[in-house]
Amino acid sequence: MASVTLAGLVKEYPGGVRGVDGVDVEIGDGEFFALLGPSGCGKTTLLRTLAGLEAATEGTVAIGDRDVTRLEPGDRDVAMVFQDYALFPHMTVTDNVAYPLRIQKVGKDERAARALETAQGLSLGALMERRPAQLSGGQQQRVALARAIACHPQVFLFDEPLSNLDARLRLEARTFLKQLQKSLGVTTVFVTHDQAEALAMADRMAVMESGRIRQVGTPREVFQRPANTFVANFIGATPMNLLDAQVVDGRLDLGGFTLPVPDGFAVAEGDKVVYGVRPEYVTAEGATADGGVPEGSVVGTVSAVENLGVHVLVTLDAGEQSLRAVIPEADEPDLGDALTVTPAPGRALLYRADGDGELVGS
């Protein structure tokens, strides 16, 4: 197996459009690494450039100790699983799985043996003579995986391989793919726009925007401490509360209410910042009868309630701002209720109000 190193990687199209804009990242040997971002952010272009399907305009691609930047795809020792699986409709499962081995001029008997061994490992042994049209979506996905595994590559490249599956099958496939990757120990780069997939599967992840990497870290690091407001707004089942604020008399004035400056953030009087806290890190309970507000809390009026299953997402209006809290379903409030909202200690973050919205002090 091997590590992957991208240094100063640029993919520029005619007209000066950069699909990949100066990417530097190192992916460890055996690591499951996710590329995450919205549609059009450059993640698939980056994957295709790594695979050799797109030629790099600038920079280098290294797999292990080899510079593969100018090598053809077949010489890079990678295997790619595409979003639509790219199976040959006229071929059986056996022939689809064995096809890359045929290109590598592996002998017929060995091709058949490796195809069967790999397919059986993915519970496809009874389907070897079927064609793709006779398979379910999950079975087609496993055939595409078997084809990649049979090559014994140094690196797996996955381009949104779960996006064509229904919700339940996607969840099952996610668990299966994670377990399979760990058992094989093959370095894996996994492209997805689904943050739940990236958070659940990746050892580390990179969040991309406009061809650039905005943050690299473990799923826990990226979720709990987004490096900028783009990542903060993109990551999470519910977007982070991002509230405009200004430092007044050593506190944060958020327009109609104030909160203390979160620990660990150095600000000056008059600074304009963005106060961030995830709805999952906010508690909400009935307002006190005397109207008192505990230090570090704010009273808001419920303007929306959304059912999330065992939790509800509550939107509250407080002063000039709206903020959200995730609370247990048993505590679901009514519209118009007054609730006392309290960010959990150590969970609030401060971002710069200008530039790229980076964390204050970073």
Side-chain angles (χ1 to χ4, degrees):
M1 309 312 157
S3 61
V4 175
T5 304
L6 310 178
L9 195 66
V10 173
K11 173 58 184 178
E12 186 171 291
Y13 294 102
V17 176
R18 289 195 169 195
V20 177
D21 190 8
V23 166
D24 296 284
V25 69
E26 293 188 13
I27 301 168
D29 185 3
E31 186 173 31
F32 195 120
F33 190 88
L35 291 173
L36 175 68
S39 296
C41 72
K43 56 189 183 295
T44 292
T45 301
L46 179 57
L47 193 75
R48 289 175 61 84
T49 306
L50 171 54
L53 301 175
E54 300 279 358
T57 307
E58 299 175 19
T60 59
V61 177
I63 297 176
D65 56 3
R66 288 197 310 152
D67 183 340
V68 302
T69 312
R70 303 303 168 197
L71 294 184
E72 293 297 317
D75 297 326
R76 298 192 180 202
D77 202 8
V78 302
M80 189 162 178
V81 177
F82 297 89
Q83 182 176 358
D84 61 0
Y85 311 136
L87 302 178
F88 294 105
H90 63 288
M91 290 185 181
T92 63
V93 169
T94 297
D95 292 337
N96 266 288
V97 174
Y99 183 77
L101 302 176
R102 177 180 160 192
I103 298 300
Q104 295 173 2
K105 302 190 184 310
V106 174
K108 183 177 180 180
D109 290 343
E110 184 179 349
R111 288 203 310 265
R114 281 169 62 175
L116 180 59
E117 178 185 11
T118 306
Q120 286 178 332
L122 296 175
S123 301
L124 294 169
L127 307 175
M128 300 303 287
E129 297 309 312
R130 293 191 187 182
R131 288 176 168 75
Q134 299 170 300
L135 304 175
S136 68
Q139 290 168 338
Q140 289 183 39
Q141 183 215 38
R142 281 185 283 147
V143 173
L145 288 172
R147 182 176 58 189
I149 294 167
C151 297
H152 299 167
Q154 288 189 299
V155 180
F156 286 143
L157 306 176
F158 293 126
D159 186 10
E160 305 206 43
L162 310 184
S163 61
N164 290 329
L165 305 179
D166 62 49
R168 178 165 183 167
L169 189 54
R170 187 182 305 126
L171 182 61
E172 294 174 357
R174 191 174 79 186
T175 302
F176 168 77
L177 185 57
K178 174 72 171 178
Q179 293 173 337
L180 177 66
Q181 190 271 337
K182 286 304 175 189
S183 68
L184 295 173
V186 179
T187 307
T188 298
V189 184
F190 184 94
V191 162
T192 180
H193 67 276
D194 186 332
Q195 39 147 324
E197 286 180 4
L199 291 169
M201 299 173 71
D203 298 318
R204 286 191 308 142
M205 57 196 291
V207 182
M208 294 189 66
E209 179 195 24
S210 302
R212 296 182 297 149
I213 289 180
R214 299 300 306 273
Q215 184 174 1
V216 176
T218 66
R220 186 178 299 276
E221 290 167 348
V222 174
F223 181 84
Q224 293 187 347
R225 195 174 178 84
N228 49 68
T229 52
F230 172 80
V231 176
N233 195 50
F234 185 75
I235 294 292
T238 55
M240 180 181 282
N241 291 301
L242 295 172
L243 310 178
D244 294 331
Q246 186 170 11
V247 181
V248 177
D249 296 331
R251 292 176 62 84
L252 297 177
D253 183 345
L254 291 102
F257 64 94
T258 67
L259 288 172
V261 175
D263 292 341
F265 293 93
V267 292
E269 187 71 11
D271 281 355
K272 292 184 177 181
V273 294
V274 176
Y275 178 89
V277 63
R278 291 204 174 280
E280 294 87 351
Y281 298 149
V282 175
T283 60
E285 56 187 18
T288 58
D290 62 6
V293 182
E295 171 63 14
S297 300
V298 59
V299 172
T301 302
V302 177
S303 61
V305 178
E306 301 170 54
N307 191 326
L308 302 180
V310 297
H311 294 89
V312 293
L313 175 65
V314 178
T315 301
L316 303 106
D317 295 333
E320 301 171 7
Q321 307 269 18
S322 291
L323 64 158
R324 295 174 297 273
V326 173
I327 63 176
E329 60 174 338
D331 299 330
E332 180 176 339
D334 294 323
L335 294 178
D337 282 356
L339 297 182
T340 298
V341 183
T342 307
R347 294 300 193 180
L349 305 169
L350 286 186
Y351 296 94
R352 296 190 181 95
D354 56 7
D356 285 338
E358 304 291 331
L359 273 171
V360 169
S362 62

